[in-house]
Amino acid sequence: MLSLKGKTVFITGASSGIGLASAKAFAKKGANLILAARRFENIKNIGSKLSKQYKIECKTFKLDVRKKNDVESVVKNLPAKWKNIDILVNNAGLSRGLDKLHEGKIPDWDEMIDTNVKGLLYISKTVIPLMVKRNSGHIINIGSIAGHEVYPKGNVYCASKHAVDAITKGMRIDLVDTNIRVTTIDPGLVETEFSVVRFRGNVKMAKAVYTGIKPLTPDDIADAIVYAASRPENVVIAEMIILANKQASSTVVHRT
Ligand code: NDP
Ligand code: 8X3
């Protein structure tokens, strides 16, 4: 097993859900953290709590991954030692709405594509060259079961996660002559703020998504992320699809 103590881990979307759980899980292993999201208060509090609790170092940034110039400037202005990013967790992402394609809202499409696809690309384009220079690093993209299947009214969100799947495969091919590892972790139903965001604050609709099953928790996914990151250097966990028990696919869920 590879020790994560003292490693530098950059997590996007660390203000809630899977990103937050991953920050905690890496902190527990003694890794130093770069945490970014738009809700800076959350990120700042998380960073200061984790650094005290686990005696690690944390850098926190207010960052919207859709803003290419901001992404570049955050990374460019990192102090030299923080530029040695060992693990990048491309987690920031969201869904907006659940509509038939022809009834969908264009601003929703833009937001999903700009965040889940273009944001992930901007971060990767900025961080990967630093890894290439050191011939070392691990990129962990958070895809989804929605990157393997399309479900009713999931059209554009599913397309964005299919894109993450293609980008992950492309990264692995383009980095094959380096020591850099590329992983995608593809969860099914995880209860986070994800559905509250999708339904724009409608908690009742969000709750219904996870009713009648025991959904995955953000910690379940963080556990898988840390597992992938801590394999020996010669091992690449290329792809991990993680479903909730009683979930056979995006659409086949046994609820009681
Ligand atoms: P949450 O809504 O709890 O977390 C999403 C995170 O992404 C937040 O920290 C949010 O921070 C951040 N984020 C969203 N937009 C931006 C942006 N433009 N710039 C920076 N950060 C952003 O949901 P999850 O934890 O569930 O989602 C994390 C990832 O997991 C997403 O990529 C999602 O698609 C994926 N996923 C989720 C599943 C689920 O069932 N929950 C299943 C499969 C995959 P802030 O708002 O502060 O910017
Ligand atoms: C999130 C999983 O099935 O709710 O990517 O879209 S799903």
Side-chain angles (χ1 to χ4, degrees):
M1 198 168 100
L2 193 70
S3 168
L4 297 173
K5 196 170 168 53
K7 298 278 182 196
T8 301
V9 184
F10 185 176
I11 304 172
T12 65
S15 60
S16 71
I18 295 168
L20 168 56
S22 307
K24 286 184 192 158
F26 278 113
K28 258 187 213 166
K29 298 283 180 188
N32 298 316
L33 304 173
I34 304 170
L35 306 178
R38 293 165 303 175
R39 283 172 292 175
F40 186 60
E41 271 307 301
N42 288 25
I43 287 284
K44 209 174 69 173
N45 292 339
I46 292 160
S48 82
K49 200 171 141 205
L50 292 179
S51 47
K52 275 189 208 116
Q53 191 173 354
Y54 297 105
K55 313 259 178 299
I56 55 154
E57 291 181 66
C58 271
K59 285 239 166 263
T60 50
F61 294 97
K62 179 179 171 67
L63 179 66
D64 184 332
V65 295
R66 293 171 297 177
K67 298 188 175 160
K68 183 161 57 79
N69 294 343
D70 293 359
V71 167
E72 284 168 3
S73 118
V74 159
V75 176
K76 194 173 147 222
N77 292 317
L78 282 171
K81 75 164 187 171
W82 285 93
K83 286 202 171 93
N84 295 335
I85 296 164
D86 296 296
I87 299 155
L88 167 64
V89 183
N90 268 322
N91 164 75
L94 82 184
S95 65
R96 286 296 197 190
L98 195 62
D99 303 291
K100 290 191 176 189
L101 189 90
H102 56 281
E103 292 165 356
K105 295 171 192 68
I106 290 175
D108 286 350
W109 300 353
D110 287 341
E111 196 176 355
M112 289 187 275
I113 292 169
D114 289 349
T115 310
N116 302 356
V117 184
K118 291 170 72 181
L120 181 145
L121 286 171
Y122 296 154
I123 296 274
S124 303
K125 171 90 173 94
T126 314
V127 172
I128 295 175
L130 301 172
M131 292 181 169
V132 169
K133 214 185 259 175
R134 294 165 46 236
N135 194 21
S136 171
H138 193 164
I139 302 141
I140 303 180
N141 293 331
I142 308 305
S144 172
I145 184 68
H148 299 272
E149 301 172 26
V150 180
Y151 53 84
K153 302 181 179 178
N155 42 64
V156 176
Y157 177 71
C158 295
S160 76
K161 289 298 183 179
H162 276 68
V164 172
D165 186 53
I167 291 165
T168 305
K169 287 174 176 148
M171 284 177 178
R172 199 176 300 113
I173 293 167
D174 295 341
L175 294 166
V176 73
D177 58 349
T178 73
N179 289 329
I180 300 164
R181 302 189 284 178
V182 183
T183 296
T184 177
I185 304 287
D186 298 343
L189 291 163
V190 192
E191 192 163 12
T192 61
E193 292 179 15
F194 178 84
S195 293
V196 179
V197 171
R198 165 169 258 171
F199 298 120
R200 295 193 181 276
N202 187 328
V203 175
K204 205 169 152 206
M205 279 175 84
K207 264 274 161 221
V209 175
Y210 311 104
T211 300
I213 59 155
K214 195 169 174 214
L216 294 160
T217 67
D219 290 336
D220 294 327
I221 307 307
D223 191 36
I225 294 170
V226 164
Y227 175 82
S230 56
R231 289 314 86 210
E233 296 271 14
N234 63 316
V235 177
V236 176
I237 304 293
E239 178 179 300
M240 220 193 272
I241 297 178
I242 308 168
L243 299 176
N245 203 351
K246 309 272 172 72
Q247 176 180 24
S249 71
S250 280
T251 47
V252 180
V253 179
H254 182 71
R255 297 179 196 269
T256 48

